[in-house]
């Protein structure tokens, strides 16, 4: 079945105001692919220069205060929206100190006492502000420190960019498995759509052969800038290309050429957004979470595009909301795209939830 | 909050052992293992949950030849059931909680190792795997025939240079912080168990003085503990 180009390249989320034939003209590279204004991404706390100096006893004062605040929370957040409890917050205090203090070996041999000074990457006053934001505003810990530890990577994140989730780490393992058995895919061009911080693109970029490349796209200018920062930090500029635009829009030149396609698209049903954990619902970009009425808008669009973009034998892996979406997605591909895909598998995440749909183009 | 829950969240070094009264023989591979869905209840919110993704067991032919510690990380991982925290709720994009603790159960031996101190689940998995290797070295015994005993290379490599049977081709001494130490430690424990805990007898096999061998045993806490447990069971005084 041949798809109409316009349906795949059109940003699915927006009503078509422009004549679709103009938008759908094949191989016209949209101006979107080169960011017009360069946004300077924030530097994660652990990479900032240690230009502040604080007495250990003052740091201890902060630590005791922060711990007191964390303890007072008890399980209130757990009950209100399944948020963090105080033991989790206390672990975050430890991680925050690890990122803020230049030489944290100092804790093990000196402890937090005395007039001795310690070099810090942040002013102690700001440290008080940051912890207030964490607890009072429920600002995600990862935005506080400006990074997330994901697989063996430490990725920069900031407001406007989805914090990569541990579940998504598994997609890189799936790709590893596939390319270890198939040299052709290992040397091919892969795409990560809605790349966010660039996590999947970087994870995959590091398992491909030297000829292999990844094109990472995102609608959000902030995401593209942050992903570019992360790609540069891991010296993968030659391997990973960032393109700004909605889903397949920046990929018109890749029709039938992709060796692989991965995505962790927004998949939460719109009605569930308001009930999300405050860290997620109030602070993370809605555009990266809200998947429409049944959460499937982006996933279905990705299936349509995958049929057009993947080369024969090409691989795809999508993350979903859970078992129901996995099944619906496989049904859709079998019924509406029959003959396009084969060898579907639904795979569980580490918590045992059916989370991923993977498969191959015929 | 339950004790178990607190222990799991302790951000420091964590080791868990199953209690094996009888020592595990070296070839316990079965061709197919039916996995029970191992679920240890911690409290109402949190439980360990196993994933289907990494639970395939290979036929063990490579393991038989090399021993578990000779396996690559990937091969060893394939013999493990991987547990992570399962919490209530749908997970994925819904969730922002760093419950990245990892628990590995090595199915052929039942040995459990876990790690929770890092922010990344991936790194905790690597730490748990390293811990599993030391635990296997400590807990899995191979029978040794003392009449025809000759120490394997991995054991010679952890001996101090003054050992009279250690050739110059063994390279520099491998210390407890080197990942290769586990292999040598395993061979050393095999020999100590065969000699029923007698350090002076083992020292003779290794061309060392009793004092030098004691110092080697005392250089690693877990090794010392294992040897002293054995000595206690035989009514011998602990090494200090």
């Amino acid at each position: 079945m041949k798809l109409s180009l316009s349906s795949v390249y059109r940003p699915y989320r927006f009503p078509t105001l422009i004549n679709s034939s103009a938008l759908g003209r094949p191989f016209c590279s949209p101006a979107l692919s080169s960011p017009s204004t360069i946004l300077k991404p924030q530097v994660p706390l652990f990479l900032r220069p240690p230009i502040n100096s604080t007495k250990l006893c003052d740091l201890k004062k902060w630590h005791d205060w922060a711990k007191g605040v964390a303890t007072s929370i008890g399980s209130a957040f757990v009950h209100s929206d399944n948020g963090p409890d105080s033991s989790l917050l206390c672990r975050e205090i430890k991680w925050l100190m690890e990122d803020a203090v230049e030489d944290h070996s100092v804790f093990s041999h000196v402890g937090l006492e005395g007039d001795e000074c310690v070099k810090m990457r942040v002013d102690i006053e700001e440290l008080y502000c940051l912890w207030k934001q964490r607890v009072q505003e429920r600002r995600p810990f990862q935005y506080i420190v400006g990074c997330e530890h994901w697989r063996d990577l430490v990725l920069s994140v900031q407001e406007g960019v989805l914090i990569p989730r541990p579940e998504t780490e598994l997609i890189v393992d799936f790709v590893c498995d596939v390319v270890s058995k198939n040299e052709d895919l290992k040397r091919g061009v892969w795409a990560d759509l809605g790349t966010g911080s660039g996590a999947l693109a970087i994870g995959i970029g590091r398992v491909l052969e030297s000829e292999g490349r990844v094109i990472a796209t995102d609608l959000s200018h902030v995401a593209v800038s942050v992903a570019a920062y992360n790609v540069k930090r891991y010296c993968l500029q030659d391997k990973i290309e960032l393109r700004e635009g909605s889903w397949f829009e920046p990929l018109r030149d890749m029709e039938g050429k992709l060796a692989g396609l991965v995505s962790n698209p927004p998949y939460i049903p719109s009605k569930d957004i308001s009930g999300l954990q405050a860290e997620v619902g109030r602070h993370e970009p809605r555009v990266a979470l809200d998947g429409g009425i049944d959460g499937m808008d982006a996933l279905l669009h990705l299936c349509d595009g995958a049929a057009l973009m993947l080369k024969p034998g090409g691989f795809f892996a999508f993350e979903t909301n859970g078992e129901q979406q996995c099944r619906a997605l496989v049904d859709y591909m079998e019924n509406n795209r029959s003959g396009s895909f084969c060898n579907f598998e639904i795979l569980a995440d580490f918590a045992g939830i059916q989370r991923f749909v993977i498969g191959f183009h015929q | 909050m339950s004790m178990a829950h607190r222990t799991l969240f302790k951000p420091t070094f964590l080791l868990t052992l199953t209690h094996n009264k009888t020592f595990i023989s070296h070839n316990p591979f079965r061709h197919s293992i039916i996995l029970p869905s191992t679920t240890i209840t911690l409290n109402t919110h949190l439980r360990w949950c196993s994933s289907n993704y990494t639970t395939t067991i290979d036929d063990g032919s490579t393991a038989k030849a090399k021993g578990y510690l000779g396996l690559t990380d990937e091969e060893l991982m394939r013999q493990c059931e991987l547990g992570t925290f399962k919490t209530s709720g749908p997970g994925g994009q819904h969730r922002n909680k760093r419950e990245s603790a990892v628990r590995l159960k090595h199915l052929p031996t039942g040995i459990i190792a876990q790690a929770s101190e890092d922010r990344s689940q991936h790194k905790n998995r690597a730490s748990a795997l390293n811990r599993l290797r030391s635990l296997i070295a400590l807990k899995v015994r191979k029978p040794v025939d003392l009449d025809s005993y000759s120490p394997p290379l991995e054991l010679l490599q952890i001996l101090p240079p003054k050992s009279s049977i250690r050739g110059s081709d063994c390279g520099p001494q491998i210390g407890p912080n080197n990942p290769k130490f586990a292999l040598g430690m395993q061979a050393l424990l095999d020999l100590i168990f065969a000699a029923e805990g007698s350090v002076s007898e083992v020292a003779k096999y290794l061309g060392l003085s009793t004092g030098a061998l004691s110092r080697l045993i005392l250089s690693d806490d877990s090794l010392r503990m294992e040897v002293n447990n054995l000595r206690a069971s035989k009514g011998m005084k602990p090494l200090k």
Side-chain angles (χ1 to χ4, degrees):
Chain A
M1 178 167 56
K2 187 72 183 163
L3 287 165
S4 95
L5 291 175
S6 56
S7 69
V8 166
Y9 295 131
R10 188 188 310 141
Y12 79 100
R13 214 174 256 288
F14 313 121
T16 331
L17 298 172
I18 315 163
N19 182 344
S20 70
S21 68
L23 244 184
R25 207 166 51 231
F27 310 120
C28 72
S29 192
L32 280 167
S33 54
S34 55
S36 44
T37 48
I38 305 299
L39 181 137
K40 205 165 178 291
Q42 288 162 24
V43 177
L45 179 56
F46 79 103
L47 289 176
R48 287 179 214 160
I51 49 172
N52 302 280
S53 184
T54 305
K55 280 187 195 166
L56 274 173
C57 57
D58 287 335
L59 188 58
K60 180 173 168 44
K61 219 180 278 170
W62 173 84
H63 176 265
D64 294 347
W65 165 81
K67 210 161 176 175
V69 173
T71 310
S72 72
I73 297 306
S75 49
F77 295 164
V78 178
H79 294 310
S80 74
D81 58 15
N82 204 15
D85 65 2
S86 40
S87 65
L88 209 66
L89 291 167
C90 286
R91 276 202 297 175
E92 292 180 358
I93 296 173
K94 181 175 160 269
W95 291 327
L96 177 52
M97 301 225 314
E98 277 173 15
D99 282 8
V101 176
E102 185 196 24
D103 175 15
H104 29 93
S105 69
V106 76
F107 304 138
S108 51
H109 52 82
V110 185
L112 283 174
E113 272 158 51
D115 284 345
E116 216 171 314
C117 277
V118 63
K119 289 212 161 137
M120 305 243 295
R121 303 176 195 283
V122 63
D123 180 39
I124 188 85
E125 291 306 317
E126 203 190 330
L127 211 51
Y128 278 95
C129 286
L130 288 174
W131 194 246
K132 262 182 223 158
Q133 289 170 356
R134 175 70 191 103
V135 178
Q136 286 171 7
E137 297 165 29
R138 305 277 305 271
R139 190 179 176 208
F141 176 77
Q142 296 89 338
Y143 290 158
I144 299 273
V145 292
C147 73
E148 173 66 316
H149 292 226
W150 191 84
R151 291 185 70 88
D152 50 345
L153 309 166
V154 182
L155 298 164
S156 170
V157 291
Q158 66 185 58
E159 266 83 2
V161 180
L162 185 83
I163 298 160
R165 306 291 201 261
E167 284 87 347
T168 314
E169 293 184 0
L170 272 175
I171 292 184
V172 180
D173 290 340
F174 304 152
V175 174
C176 262
D177 270 6
V178 164
V179 299
S180 70
K181 293 175 210 141
N182 187 324
E183 280 300 312
D184 189 41
L185 296 184
K186 201 170 186 172
R187 285 191 298 262
V189 181
W190 288 66
D192 169 19
L193 301 191
T195 193
S197 62
L200 277 175
I202 293 169
I204 291 168
R206 283 159 37 116
V207 304
L208 296 181
E209 281 287 317
S210 52
E211 304 102 291
R213 286 200 303 132
V214 185
I215 302 172
T217 75
D218 206 292
L219 179 69
S220 150
H221 185 52
V222 184
V224 170
S225 308
V226 170
Y229 177 89
N230 286 322
V231 166
K232 200 170 164 211
R233 230 170 65 73
Y234 286 96
C235 299
L236 289 166
Q237 301 98 307
D238 294 341
K239 205 162 205 155
I240 301 174
E241 185 191 341
L242 287 154
R243 298 184 183 182
E244 193 172 321
S246 173
W247 306 120
F248 297 97
E249 232 187 340
L251 286 178
R252 292 167 198 237
D253 57 328
M254 296 309 297
E255 203 177 305
K257 293 182 187 169
L258 290 180
L261 179 64
V262 298
S263 185
N264 173 23
Y267 53 62
I268 299 178
S270 303
K271 64 172 171 36
D272 296 340
I273 296 286
S274 61
L276 285 172
Q277 188 190 337
E279 281 82 0
V280 180
R282 273 194 236 156
H283 296 273
E284 290 196 277
R286 180 162 181 155
V287 69
L289 300 166
D290 188 343
I293 292 172
D294 58 359
M296 297 278 293
D297 286 4
L299 282 164
L300 296 178
H301 184 72
L302 285 167
C303 287
D304 293 342
L308 190 70
M309 289 294 174
L310 285 173
K311 65 181 187 182
F315 172 81
F316 70 87
F318 300 135
E319 184 173 324
T320 78
N321 200 34
E323 188 176 351
Q324 204 184 348
Q325 284 191 3
C326 281
R327 288 181 191 282
L329 206 60
V330 171
D331 276 353
Y332 179 80
M333 284 191 270
E334 278 173 345
N335 297 326
N336 298 58
R337 300 261 158 259
S338 63
S340 291
F341 301 109
C342 59
N343 301 334
F344 299 111
E345 265 184 88
I346 293 177
L347 296 171
D349 61 22
F350 288 135
I353 296 174
Q354 308 285 299
R355 178 71 63 196
F356 309 97
V357 178
I358 68 169
F360 292 87
H361 198 236
Q362 286 284 11
Chain B
M1 186 178 293
S2 74
M3 191 58 210
H5 186 182
R6 244 197 336 257
T7 311
L8 287 165
F9 272 106
K10 208 166 68 178
T12 49
F13 186 83
L14 245 178
L15 273 182
T16 310
L17 271 180
T18 51
H19 300 287
N20 290 307
K21 280 249 161 69
T22 48
F23 287 100
I24 301 145
S25 72
H26 187 58
N27 276 334
F29 270 102
R30 282 158 285 177
H31 279 256
S32 69
I33 293 174
I34 296 158
L35 299 176
S37 175
T38 315
T39 313
I40 299 171
T41 308
L42 294 172
N43 61 29
T44 47
H45 300 295
L46 225 45
R47 62 197 175 97
W48 286 109
C49 173
S50 57
S51 126
N52 296 328
Y53 180 56
T54 46
T55 50
T56 13
I57 310 294
D58 65 23
D59 67 9
S61 53
T62 45
K64 276 175 192 157
K66 291 192 281 181
Y68 302 126
L69 297 181
L71 299 177
T72 64
D73 283 355
E74 261 172 41
E75 289 166 333
L76 191 58
M77 196 76 177
R78 274 202 291 275
Q79 299 182 345
C80 290
E81 188 180 62
L82 177 68
T84 44
F85 273 119
K86 178 169 183 174
T87 51
S88 55
Q93 289 169 6
H94 293 257
R95 187 169 184 75
N96 177 352
K97 274 195 195 176
R98 291 162 171 263
E99 275 146 6
S100 49
V102 169
R103 172 185 181 272
L104 290 179
K105 180 175 183 185
H106 186 239
L107 293 166
T109 59
I111 292 174
I112 291 170
Q114 61 189 44
S116 63
E117 67 277 13
D118 202 274
R119 287 181 232 184
S120 142
Q121 197 172 86
H122 198 75
K123 279 192 189 158
N124 283 334
R125 225 175 305 157
S127 314
L129 203 59
N130 280 339
R131 251 159 241 176
L132 179 65
R133 284 185 185 279
S134 333
L135 289 171
I136 287 174
L138 291 169
K139 294 294 170 191
V140 179
R141 293 281 64 86
K142 251 182 281 191
V144 166
D145 179 10
L146 287 175
D147 294 332
S148 60
Y149 186 75
S150 115
L153 178 66
E154 58 268 20
L155 174 50
L156 293 173
Q157 285 174 329
I158 69 165
L159 298 181
K162 62 181 153 190
S163 158
S164 62
I165 58 157
R166 191 183 199 277
S168 54
D169 50 339
C170 293
Q173 185 185 5
I174 286 173
N177 294 328
N178 189 318
K180 284 184 187 162
F181 186 80
L183 266 173
M185 179 167 79
Q186 187 176 41
L188 178 59
L189 279 166
D190 289 340
L191 183 59
I192 294 173
F193 272 77
E196 303 200 317
S198 165
V199 175
S200 55
E201 197 187 335
V202 171
K204 284 179 212 152
Y205 285 100
L206 300 178
L208 287 171
S209 68
T210 309
L213 178 60
S214 297
R215 278 193 292 281
L216 173 63
I217 293 168
L218 295 175
S219 71
D220 184 89
D221 286 344
S222 48
L223 174 60
R224 184 197 64 216
M225 235 151 65
E226 208 52 43
V227 172
N228 280 341
N229 285 345
L230 171 70
R231 288 173 65 90
S233 74
K234 306 271 177 197
M236 300 160 100
K237 275 188 289 183
L239 301 179
K240 275 183 202 157

